Amino acid sequence: MFKKVPGTKDILPDQTGLWQKIEGTSRKIFAIYNYSEIRTPFIEETALFNRSLGESTEIVQKQMFIIKRDEDSYALRPEGTASIVRAYVENSLDKTKGFLKLYYMGPMFRAERPQKGRLRQFNQIGCEAIGSYGPDIDVEVIALADALLKRYGVKDYTIALNTLGCAQDKKTLNDLLKNKLEDKLGGLCDDCKDRYSRNILRILDCKNEACRDIVNHLQIGREHLCPDCKAHFEYVKQGLDVMKVDYKVMPTLVRGLDYYNRTVFEIKHSGLGPQQDALGAGGRYDGLVKELGGPEAGAIGFSFGFERLLLALESAAAPDQAKDIPKLVYVIPLGEAAKKQSLVILSGLRDSAAIVSDTSANYSGNSLKSAMRKAGDLGAAFVIIIGDDEIRGNCVTLKDMANKTQEKVPMAGLKEKLGIIQQKES
Ligand code: HAM
């Protein structure tokens, strides 16, 4: 028997309802904030991610699924931002649209060690606003993340906020850290020893206790930030205060991807466990459009991990899915003539009344008893029984499964009757 690849998931029919609900809520809220959907390929040139995320980042060093074909090297996308900026530049959207607000959802791939909340194929819901350097869009994007979480029903999350400063500020912080950590290298974990030369900022948000202790004693202040970056960050905080979005400034928050500058944020949730507590994350990436061959254009975005959203929802009260499942009408024909009649009824219910319906005729050799059992298993709200009596009387027997009542309903009034019942119940 074949098994799924470790770190991947089957999303089974009893779970897809919740997925669709979260997708639907997201689409609605993104549209209200005037974001349009973009869909980009799942595979891109490997070099796109090397260039965008940074050669020395963990994703590029260890986590990309790479496909080699002759001379070409492709990677399954580990995230969406690089692809979207590539599409923005390649399709000259800077010229035709200028400032653009985009959203996306779909699978991403990272060769990580699978565990709870950490998959090799996972899904993201995210957005990118490209074409503005101003802090107002930072406020909108973070407020949008907050609005989405509230609409999903996620509770007990924290928005951790920081600024990395501009490219020059990041370099100053790098140098500062190099000095401060030089004589403390022996106390760092092996990963951070490696990060010291490759990606020193990441030492700041290492989860290892010994590293945290060292970092907490470094007393990293705000002196590496230039006045413009300080003012930008103040504006963002004030904007969020006005919008009543709760956040917590966390000066050690850096991000695992090189393209970030200025505002960065991460949404943390305790229900996910200490190792991967991020429900989502984002920030500014003002240099990336230019880096990928486009014009100078400021940009900011974020993405949620879909599976982590589900874990966070699970850790609270289970969402009431049942009320969103459309009520099923189950048609049971008894005999060959009734089968033909049931086809007429089904197409009427489905095509002109859009009533969710199915029939026991699809399952061979059913007695009334087993067909009724099947109706119960499927959670049918109503059962329509058609036998010889009903055909003669040009009517059906309609059973209300919840009330356990039944009545004869004339064919002519059936759709109306079911339509009215369905409307009343929904
Ligand atoms: P990221 O922090 O790498 O950022 O990923 C965003 C979110 O995706 C994480 O917070 C987490 O919820 C989810 N995630 C990441 N890796 C996994 C995994 N292996 N298994 C399950 N969930 C995972 C980005 O990807 C940026 N592109 C976000 C962004 C958009 N920044 C600006 N715009």
Side-chain angles (χ1 to χ4, degrees):
M1 189 176 58
F2 289 110
K3 298 221 160 168
K4 61 184 173 302
V5 171
T8 65
K9 270 196 168 161
D10 295 315
I11 303 155
L12 298 172
D14 61 349
Q15 299 154 352
T16 45
L18 186 54
W19 280 71
Q20 287 167 3
K21 192 172 161 192
I22 291 176
E23 284 160 3
T25 303
S26 309
R27 287 181 193 288
K28 210 189 286 167
I29 304 292
F30 280 129
I32 290 170
Y33 280 68
N34 200 25
Y35 285 69
S36 312
E37 188 181 7
I38 182 162
R39 302 184 193 198
T40 58
F42 294 2
I43 55 172
E44 298 274 1
E45 279 181 53
T46 307
L48 170 71
F49 300 113
N50 297 354
R51 177 78 76 86
S52 309
L53 315 188
E55 296 278 0
S56 61
T57 55
E58 249 139 82
I59 296 182
V60 167
Q61 289 276 317
K62 303 187 199 154
Q63 298 174 351
M64 289 218 284
F65 282 104
I66 294 182
I67 306 158
K68 296 232 188 246
R69 298 276 304 172
D70 305 324
E71 299 296 291
D72 300 317
S73 174
Y74 303 122
L76 294 180
R77 61 180 190 189
E79 59 105 56
T81 311
S83 305
I84 289 168
V85 173
R86 196 260 317 128
Y88 180 83
V89 173
E90 186 176 348
N91 295 288
S92 303
L93 297 179
D94 56 301
K95 298 195 185 74
T96 50
K97 307 268 188 214
F99 177 61
L100 198 54
K101 303 205 288 188
L102 302 164
Y103 80 87
Y104 54 97
M105 38 187 106
M108 309 291 161
F109 306 85
R110 295 185 195 175
E112 299 199 72
R113 198 153 39 82
Q115 51 180 273
K116 188 181 168 202
R118 191 193 285 163
L119 294 157
R120 293 187 149 194
Q121 178 178 330
F122 60 99
N123 288 268
Q124 285 188 345
I125 300 180
C127 68
E128 314 292 347
I130 307 177
S132 168
Y133 288 100
D136 295 278
I137 190 67
D138 303 34
V139 177
E140 178 182 288
V141 160
I142 298 169
L144 169 56
D146 188 53
L148 280 164
L149 289 168
K150 292 207 162 88
R151 288 297 284 264
Y152 299 148
V154 177
K155 303 220 163 59
D156 304 326
Y157 58 87
T158 306
I159 302 178
L161 184 69
N162 194 22
T163 178
L164 299 174
C166 54
Q168 180 54 48
D169 296 350
K170 273 173 78 177
K171 191 172 172 311
T172 312
L173 179 59
N174 257 287
D175 295 345
L176 192 82
L177 284 174
K178 278 240 146 94
N179 278 335
K180 290 199 177 211
L181 284 169
E182 201 170 11
D183 58 353
K184 299 183 177 59
L185 272 179
L188 295 174
C189 71
D190 287 347
D191 282 344
C192 282
K193 283 192 185 107
D194 188 36
R195 285 173 187 143
Y196 183 80
S197 48
R198 277 199 302 112
N199 200 355
I200 196 163
L201 288 186
R202 286 314 306 272
I203 296 179
L204 289 180
D205 70 355
C206 178
K207 301 224 157 53
N208 179 293
E209 284 220 4
C211 300
R212 284 187 99 103
D213 200 42
I214 291 175
V215 164
N216 287 339
H217 286 91
L218 288 182
Q219 293 183 318
I220 305 286
R222 293 287 182 193
E223 59 270 30
H224 60 284
L225 296 173
C226 68
D228 276 358
C229 287
K230 276 188 184 147
H232 187 103
F233 194 50
E234 280 311 306
Y235 191 103
V236 173
K237 286 190 295 176
Q238 283 165 19
L240 293 173
D241 292 340
V242 170
M243 304 210 39
K244 302 210 176 340
V245 174
D246 285 337
Y247 61 89
K248 195 167 156 205
V249 174
M250 208 169 272
T252 54
L253 175 71
V254 290
R255 301 276 303 118
L257 312 170
D258 278 3
Y259 54 57
Y260 288 114
N261 68 307
R262 286 198 163 168
T263 314
V264 286
F265 60 102
E266 210 163 87
I267 293 131
K268 296 174 183 289
H269 193 281
S270 54
L272 299 178
Q275 284 310 309
Q276 54 268 315
D277 60 355
L279 268 184
R284 265 203 173 269
Y285 47 93
D286 291 336
L288 188 59
V289 178
K290 181 109 193 280
E291 180 73 29
L292 298 185
E296 298 267 3
I300 182 167
F302 70 82
S303 57
F304 292 129
F306 208 122
E307 291 79 359
R308 292 194 193 175
L309 286 174
L310 296 179
L311 286 173
L313 285 168
E314 244 172 49
S315 75
D320 182 5
Q321 285 183 55
K323 68 175 185 303
D324 289 335
I325 296 170
K327 300 230 177 314
L328 174 73
V329 175
Y330 197 64
V331 182
I332 303 178
L334 303 173
E336 288 309 307
K339 270 192 185 174
K340 290 211 178 68
Q341 182 73 326
S342 76
L343 292 179
V344 177
I345 293 177
L346 276 168
S347 73
L349 294 179
R350 288 168 173 166
D351 300 341
S352 53
I355 290 172
V356 181
S357 40
D358 202 351
T359 171
S360 63
N362 290 339
Y363 317 99
S364 57
N366 279 325
S367 64
L368 177 59
K369 199 168 157 207
S370 68
M372 282 304 294
R373 200 177 311 121
K374 184 81 191 166
D377 290 348
L378 291 171
F382 300 98
V383 170
I384 290 172
I385 299 170
I386 319 157
D388 292 341
D389 280 356
E390 283 83 0
I391 291 176
R392 269 193 299 276
N394 203 23
C395 64
V396 301
T397 297
L398 182 68
K399 270 180 177 290
D400 182 326
M401 298 291 273
N403 298 339
K404 303 209 183 326
T405 54
Q406 78 174 52
E407 62 181 312
K408 287 249 178 353
V409 177
M411 281 290 284
L414 180 61
K415 262 189 297 192
E416 201 192 355
K417 177 114 192 152
L418 283 169
I420 289 166
I421 293 169
Q422 294 236 325
Q423 270 165 28
K424 255 205 259 166
E425 306 249 330
S426 62

